[in-house]
Every structure is written in C-alpha cells, then in structure tokens.
Amino acid sequence: AGLPVQKCEVYKTFLGGGFGRRGAGQDYIRQAVLIAKQMPGTPIKMVWTREEDMTHDWYHPVTQCKITAGLDKDNNLTAIHYRISGQSIIAGVMPARLQEGRDPATFSGFYPGGEESAYGYSVPNILVDHSMRNPHLHPGFWRGVNINHNAIYIESFMDELAKEVGMDALEFRRKLMGKHPKHLAVLNAAAEKGGWGKPSEFPGAHKGLAQAHAFGSYVAACADVSVDGNKVKIHRIVAATDPGYAANPAQIERQVAGSFVYGLTALFLGGITVKDGKVEQENFDSYDMMRIKEMPKVETIVMPSGGFWGGVGEPTICVAAPAVLNAITNATGKRYRTFPLRDHGLYMV
C-alpha cells in the first residue's frame, strides 16, 4: 500500500469454511489493496466469485507412494520402505520452516519414536523418505492434510501384507501392535462393535479396517460396504476414538460423523484437474460433494484414556478412506490405488 506499518490495521478473518485458505492470504490481500489504491478515501469490499475462488485456490498436495516390505521365512514383517513422491505444503507456504530441506507435514502419521508418535506397528527396519516434486499449483492446508494420504498408504498396505501371508487383517495388525496399546485399543473396539469376523448384517456387504494416530488422538474404523457393478453402498462405519479426554462426548460424535463427509467425498469425488495450465473445476457442478442419501450410518465409540488432549474433528477423516477401500477390496478382490474413485467409474449410492 506504500503506507507505514503504523497506519495499517489488519484483521485476520479465520471464519468457518476457510480451513486454511484464509491463512494463505497473499493473493487476495494484494488484490484488495491494489483496488483500494485506485479509489482513495473510499472503503472497498472485494468478493471473488465461486469460479475465481475455485480456480485460484491453494490446493491439497498431490502425492504418491511406493512401498516395499521384507518378510522372513516365518512370514514375520522385518522391514518396510515407504517412498513418498510429490508436493510439499511447507515448501510452498512457509519454506523457512523446512527442516534441513525436509517437510515435516509430508510425514504425518509416519513419525518414528514413542508410543504417541509411531504409526502403531513395530517393525524392526523402517525407512520413510520423500522425493519432493512441486507442480505449478499452490499447495495448501486442507482439513487433515497429509495424514489423509498416508493412512491410505499404510493401512491399505497392511491389508495387502496380511493377504500375502494368509492372515486375517485384524490378527495381522494385532501381531505388530503389542507395544502400541492405545492404537490397539481403538482398533479392537472398532472391530468388536463392527462385528469383525462375523457375516455383515447388511446383505452382500464386506468389512474393512483401518487405524491411525493423528492430531494427538488414536482412531480406528470398521466399515461395512457392498459393491454392485459401479455402485458402492457404504452401509455403516464404526469409529473408535481416544482423544485423551472427552469434554463433550455428543460433540465428538458429531465431529466424527462430519469428518467422514470430508474423507468419503475426497475418496470418491474430490480432485482438481488441470488442462493447458488452468484448473478445470469451477463450481459445484464440476466439483461434486457427497449427498445426504450417500452418507453411511456412523456409530462412534468415545474411549478417552486420559493423560493427553487430542483432536476430534480432523483425526478420523484419515481412517474413513482406507477402511472403505479395504472393504471394497474384500468385496470385489480388486485393489484401487489412484483416487478419486470416480476415475474408476465407482460412485456412492
């Protein structure tokens, strides 16, 4: 604006629905200031159209992951190598916070160390690395951020390993979780209430599991899913969450159910495509959202163990997709590895 700082007042508007977009305000703040300078003495209010907003956003990062595992002669898991390739939010938004060139956000859910930072499985040899590849689109913080990718990588692969060694998916995980009691507790709770190991109460449905540690909380899900051609029906998701303390259990239940709207919309319908350098999705006719009729029944188990304060709105987003994906594989025998599922012709009903 060309004014001294003492003559400027800035009010940051972190209002509902922004989910990080208003934190990356360089573009629209600069635009508003340039307009105001052309109209001295006149207060201005700048509002983007939906089309301007969607085509000039700061988008959730794109990544992919190659995973390799080692098993000994007794089918014990001895090593895993996760190699993530893709975009870095920190490099795009606040590069000064890169840690020796590494983006800590990229490794969400992978952090090695103590019980509250490991991803829940004891494996003697683990390597997680990131080959940073940044396209021309701005990266931004979408609700849940990289854990939503990483939980799919980890939990889908755990199911693949269980199948490789001929073990039940729950028992395979339990074998690796002896030193991670909080992870194991939520997984057991979701599996028990979800009826794991028993025929689904929903005709033609199969079950899938997933667990994770995210935003300070331990979470797990058990999904009942049936597939008829290209139609996927998510009948129910049982979700267990240990946030340490539960100040308002009813609010936690609502947050968990709402988080699945995010996770399942992204899994089936989300995604930004670019043609000739321009974002193609301009409004909700081309960027679809989950409908009420597609929403599964959600049963939430709130099981605070005390000693820490975790989140409740973001953590369970990340287990919705892998639980449903594992159920789809159990129903069809096919493993889907790229998303959204609309690109494979699969839709929620």
Side-chain angles (χ1 to χ4, degrees):
L3 293 172
V5 172
Q6 293 80 1
K7 290 191 175 182
C8 298
E9 293 185 18
V10 177
Y11 300 89
K12 298 191 83 171
T13 52
F14 287 118
L15 299 179
F19 297 112
R21 177 59 176 95
R22 292 184 176 92
Q26 300 96 318
D27 48 3
Y28 63 82
I29 291 175
R30 177 178 175 84
Q31 187 178 8
V33 170
L34 290 174
I35 294 171
K37 287 178 68 175
Q38 297 179 48
M39 305 171 66
T42 303
I44 68 115
K45 177 180 180 180
M46 185 187 74
V47 180
W48 283 7
T49 65
R50 171 63 66 187
E51 288 74 17
E52 289 173 319
D53 184 38
M54 290 189 68
T55 56
H56 297 83
D57 210 339
W58 293 59
Y59 305 97
H60 196 235
V62 57
T63 68
Q64 60 181 358
C65 187
K66 179 180 180 180
I67 315 173
T68 309
L71 300 161
D72 65 17
K73 61 182 178 61
D74 298 317
N75 285 329
N76 295 310
L77 183 60
T78 59
I80 296 184
H81 178 196
Y82 294 94
R83 182 162 178 79
I84 303 169
S85 176
Q87 199 169 15
S88 163
I89 302 177
I90 301 299
V93 177
M94 47 188 81
R97 292 184 61 182
L98 291 174
Q99 299 176 3
E100 297 180 345
R102 294 190 299 270
D103 177 357
T106 301
F107 299 97
S108 298
F110 282 115
Y111 291 112
E115 174 194 342
E116 291 203 10
S117 59
Y119 56 74
Y121 303 108
S122 294
V123 183
N125 303 285
I126 302 173
L127 173 62
V128 185
D129 56 22
H130 176 211
S131 177
M132 192 183 297
R133 295 293 183 269
N134 293 313
H136 69 285
L137 295 180
H138 292 302
F141 290 99
W142 183 86
R143 196 179 189 208
V145 205
N146 289 80
I147 185 62
N148 296 315
H149 297 167
N150 296 344
I152 291 176
Y153 302 149
I154 296 169
E155 290 302 291
S156 293
F157 195 58
M158 285 297 160
D159 261 39
E160 293 193 50
L161 289 172
K163 182 179 180 181
E164 180 70 20
V165 301
M167 286 185 67
D168 173 80
L170 176 59
E171 293 307 316
F172 182 80
R173 286 173 169 82
R174 283 173 170 167
K175 185 179 179 181
L176 300 171
M177 298 176 75
K179 296 181 180 179
H180 305 275
K182 293 185 186 297
H183 287 267
L184 182 57
V186 291
L187 179 63
N188 282 336
E192 181 179 356
K193 189 170 184 179
W196 185 263
K198 303 175 183 177
S200 176
E201 64 185 73
F202 305 97
H206 290 71
K207 298 181 185 295
L209 288 173
Q211 68 85 27
H213 177 265
F215 301 96
S217 292
Y218 300 85
V219 294
C222 180
D224 286 88
V225 179
S226 60
V227 182
D228 181 10
N230 68 339
K231 299 176 181 177
V232 179
K233 178 64 178 178
I234 308 167
H235 300 274
R236 177 183 65 173
I237 301 181
V238 175
T241 180
D242 176 3
Y245 296 98
N248 187 336
Q251 176 67 358
I252 294 174
E253 291 182 7
R254 293 174 176 87
Q255 287 285 330
V256 170
S259 77
F260 289 159
V261 178
Y262 269 81
L264 297 176
T265 292
L267 175 63
F268 281 87
L269 301 169
I272 292 294
T273 56
V274 179
K275 184 177 181 180
D276 298 328
K278 180 183 177 183
V279 170
E280 293 186 287
Q281 290 72 27
E282 295 186 341
N283 211 315
F284 290 118
D285 60 334
S286 52
Y287 190 90
D288 207 356
M289 302 294 291
M290 186 181 190
R291 301 297 197 269
I292 291 176
K293 68 176 183 178
E294 298 160 350
M295 182 68 187
K297 177 182 179 183
V298 177
E299 298 179 12
T300 303
I301 306 168
V302 183
M303 43 188 300
S305 61
F308 62 96
W309 287 92
V312 295
E314 287 186 281
T316 47
I317 300 175
C318 71
V319 291
V324 168
L325 286 168
N326 288 334
I328 290 174
T329 299
N330 292 334
T332 65
K334 184 173 182 180
R335 174 68 63 181
Y336 293 94
R337 304 180 187 279
T338 60
F339 313 100
L341 291 177
R342 69 177 184 200
D343 294 342
H344 300 281
L346 293 180
Y347 295 93
M348 292 178 286
V349 295

